[in-house]
C-alpha cells in the first residue's frame, strides 16, 4: 500500500510519493499565494521531491533548534507581508519538528491566523511534532514557551523524504514511536518490541500517529489526560537542559529513550506490585537501539534541579507520567530527590 489516510478532518495522509495528492489538495484549497518554508537541509534534500507548483514563493531558513526563535518567526512574517499574504494565502512547512513548530506558530499569529500545511520530513516530526496542534518557538532560554494550540489544515507525511535523513536523526525519532506503543498497550508494545526501527511499516507509523491524535483530540488544550504523553519527557527535558549548558549534542529522541529507561525505574518504585516483564523488554530495546546518554555522576544534582523546574510541574513538585504497565499510564506522579538520583545512577550503571 502506498498511502493511508490517518484522518479525514483535518486531512492527514502518510505514504510514499504523495506529490499528486498534495498538489490536488492544495489546488482545491485555492490559495491566492503560497509560501513554502524550508531549512537549508530540506531545501537541498526534500524540495526536489516537492510537487511542481508553478507559482509559489520560497523562504529558506537556517536549520537547528537554535533557530526556533522569534527572529525566524519574524522572517516568516516579513516574507508574508512582502508577498502580500492575507487570509486566502497558505503557508507550507517542509521540514523537521523545528521548522513545523516555527512555521505553524508564525502562520497562526499572522493576521490572527492563516492556513498552513505541514509536510514533516523527519521521523520525529511525522509521528509527533506534526500531530496534535502544538505550535511554538523558544524564547529567553525557555523551550516552547511562546506558542499556541492550532491544528494544521492538512498534514502530508511523505516517507520518501526519510531517505536522506541522517541515521542518528531517524533513530532519535523512533523513541517517540516506542513511547506511543508503551502508552497504547500490550498489542502495540508486543508488536513493536519484536521489530527494528528500519522495519517500521506505513501501518506502524499510521498507528502511532492515530494513537497520538486520539489523546490530543480528547484533550486538545492539555488540561488533563494529554499529559500522559509526557512519559519519559520530564527526565528527557532535564537531560536536554543540562546538556545545553555543556554544549554537547544530545538529540531529543536520545534524551527521551534515556528518559523512558530512567522513568521505568521510577515506575518500579511507584508501583512495586505491577508486572515487570515490560520493564526488562523496554531496557533491552533501548540498549539495542539508542546510544547511552553519558552524564557525569557530579551532574545528578543539576539534573534533579532541572526536573524540579519542568514547566509541567505544579506547586513546585516534579510531575511524572508513569506506566503501571503498557496501556496504563498515570499522570501527576511525584518522586523524592533521593529516588530520582538513585534512578539516574541505576541508568548510568546499567544502560
Ligand atoms: N509540536 C509538537 O507537538 C512537538 C512534538 C515533538 C517535538 N517537537 C519539536 O520538534 C523539534 C525537533 O524536531 P526534529 O527532531 O525533527 O529536528 P529538526 O527539525 O531540527 O531536524 C533534524 C535535522 O534534520 C534535518 N532534516 C530534516 N529533514 C531532513 C531530511 N529529510 N533529510 C535530511 N536532513 C533533514 C534538519 O535540517 C535538521 O538539521 C523540537 O524543537 C521539538 O520541540 C514538537
Amino acid at each position: 500500500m502506498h498511502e493511508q489516510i490517518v484522518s479525514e478532518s483535518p486531512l492527514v495522509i502518510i505514504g510514499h510519493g504523495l506529490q499528486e495528492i498534495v498538489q490536488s489538495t492544495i489546488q482545491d484549497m485555492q490559495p491566492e499565494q503560497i509560501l513554502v518554508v524550508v531549512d537549508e537541509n530540506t531545501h537541498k534534500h526534500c524540495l526536489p521531491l516537492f510537487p511542481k507548483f508553478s507559482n509559489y514563493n520560497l523562504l529558506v531558513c537556517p536549520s537547528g533548534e537554535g533557530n526556533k526563535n522569534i527572529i525566524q518567526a519574524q522572517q516568516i512574517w516579513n516574507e508574508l507581508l512582502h508577498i502580500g499574504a492575507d487570509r486566502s494565502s497558505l503557508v507550507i512547512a517542509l521540514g523537521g519538528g523545528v521548522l513545523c513548530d516555527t512555521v505553524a506558530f508564525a502562520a497562526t499569529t499572522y493576521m490572527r491566523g492563516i492556513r498552513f500545511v505541514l509536510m514533516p520530513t523527519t521521523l520525529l516530526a511525522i509521528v509527533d511534532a506534526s500531530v496534535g496542534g502544538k505550535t511554538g518557538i523558544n524564547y529567553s532560554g525557555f523551550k516552547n514557551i511562546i506558542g499556541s494550540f492550532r491544528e494544521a489544515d492538512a498534514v502530508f507525511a511523505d516517507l520518501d523524504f526519510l531517505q536522506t535523513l541522517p541515521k542518528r536523526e531517524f533513530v532519535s525519532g523512533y523513541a517517540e514511536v516506542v513511547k506511543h506503543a508503551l502508552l497504547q498497550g500490550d498489542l502495540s508494545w508486543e508488536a513493536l518490541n519484536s521489530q527494528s526501527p528500519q522495519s517500521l511499516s506505513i501501518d506502524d507509523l499510521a498507528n502511532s500517529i492515530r494513537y497520538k491524535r486520539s489523546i490530543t483530540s480528547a484533550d486538545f488544550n492539555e488540561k488533563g489526560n494529554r499529559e500522559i504523553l509526557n512519559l519519559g519527557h520530564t527526565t528527557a527535558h532535564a537531560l536536554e537542559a543540562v546538556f545545553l549548558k555543556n554544549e554537547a549534542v544530545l538529540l531529543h529522541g536520545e534524551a527521551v529513550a534515556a528518559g523512558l529507561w530512567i522513568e521505568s525505574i521510577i515506575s518500579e518504585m511507584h508501583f512495586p506490585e505491577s508486572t515487570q516483564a515490560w520493564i526488562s523488554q523496554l531496557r533491552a530495546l533501548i540498549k539495542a537501539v539508542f546510544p547511552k546518554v553519558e552524564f557525569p555522576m557530579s551532574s545528578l544534582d543539576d539534573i534533579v534541579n532541572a526536573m524540579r523546574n519542568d514547566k509541567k510541574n505544579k506547586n513546585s513538585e516534579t510531575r511524572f507520567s508513569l506506566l503501571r504497565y503498557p496501556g496504563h499510564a498515570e499522570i501527576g506522579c511525584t518522586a523524592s530527590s533521593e529516588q530520582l538520583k538513585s534512578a539516574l545512577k541505576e541508568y548510568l550503571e546499567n544502560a
Side-chain angles (χ1 to χ4, degrees), residues 39 41-42 45-46 63 65 68 96-98 101 121-122 124 128-129 134 143-144 161 164-166 169 212:
D39 72 22
N41 295 318
T42 61
H45 298 295
C46 304
S63 64
E65 187 70 35
K68 186 174 153 177
V98 164
D101 278 9
T121 61
T122 63
L124 188 127
D128 201 1
K134 277 188 180 175
K143 199 166 146 63
N144 298 330
F161 291 135
T164 53
L165 188 67
E169 294 287 351
K212 182 172 175 191

Side-chain angles (χ1 to χ4, degrees), residues 69-80 102 105-106:
N69 58 22
I70 192 75
I71 296 166
Q72 209 44 65
Q74 269 173 343
Q75 274 201 10
I76 299 169
W77 292 324
N78 287 341
E79 188 63 25
L80 287 168
T102 313
F105 170 69

Side-chain angles (χ1 to χ4, degrees), residues 4-5 110 117 120 123 139 170 183 217 235-236 260 289 332 343-344 351:
Q4 258 207 44
I5 298 178
Y110 182 81
V117 164
L123 180 58
Y139 186 71
F170 182 84
L183 287 170
S217 338
T235 306
L260 290 172
V289 173
L344 288 163

Side-chain angles (χ1 to χ4, degrees), residues 144-270:
N144 298 330
I145 196 80
I146 307 289
S148 58
F149 286 101
R150 215 199 89 190
E151 277 205 290
D153 292 89
V155 179
F156 299 104
D158 194 328
L159 300 176
D160 290 347
F161 291 135
L162 297 182
Q163 280 166 12
T164 53
L165 188 67
K167 183 167 179 260
R168 186 173 172 188
E169 294 287 351
F170 182 84
V171 169
S172 166
Y174 189 65
E176 302 291 357
V177 181
V178 172
K179 182 194 80 176
H180 289 166
L182 281 169
L183 287 170
Q184 205 171 359
D186 274 343
L187 279 181
S188 295
W189 171 239
E190 294 301 336
L192 185 94
N193 200 22
S194 57
Q195 59 177 256
S196 68
Q198 283 71 21
S199 62
L200 281 174
S201 65
I202 296 180
D203 279 348
D204 296 326
L205 294 174
N207 178 47
S208 195
I209 298 169
R210 229 175 248 123
Y211 170 74
K212 182 172 175 191
R213 284 188 57 78
S214 71
I215 300 296
T216 57
S217 338
D219 178 22
F220 191 63
N221 292 309
E222 200 165 25
K223 302 268 189 255
N225 199 47
R226 184 168 177 161
E227 205 179 315
I228 65 169
L229 296 172
N230 207 32
L231 183 71
H233 281 63
T234 306
T235 306
H237 291 151
L239 291 171
E240 285 177 298
V242 168
F243 268 70
L244 215 59
K245 283 187 211 146
N246 302 340
E247 292 180 359
V249 178
L250 173 65
L251 300 186
H252 179 65
E254 293 168 354
V256 170
L260 290 172
W261 177 304
I262 292 160
E263 292 184 17
S264 77
I265 302 168
I266 306 171
S267 291
E268 264 180 322
M269 295 169 180
H270 214 77

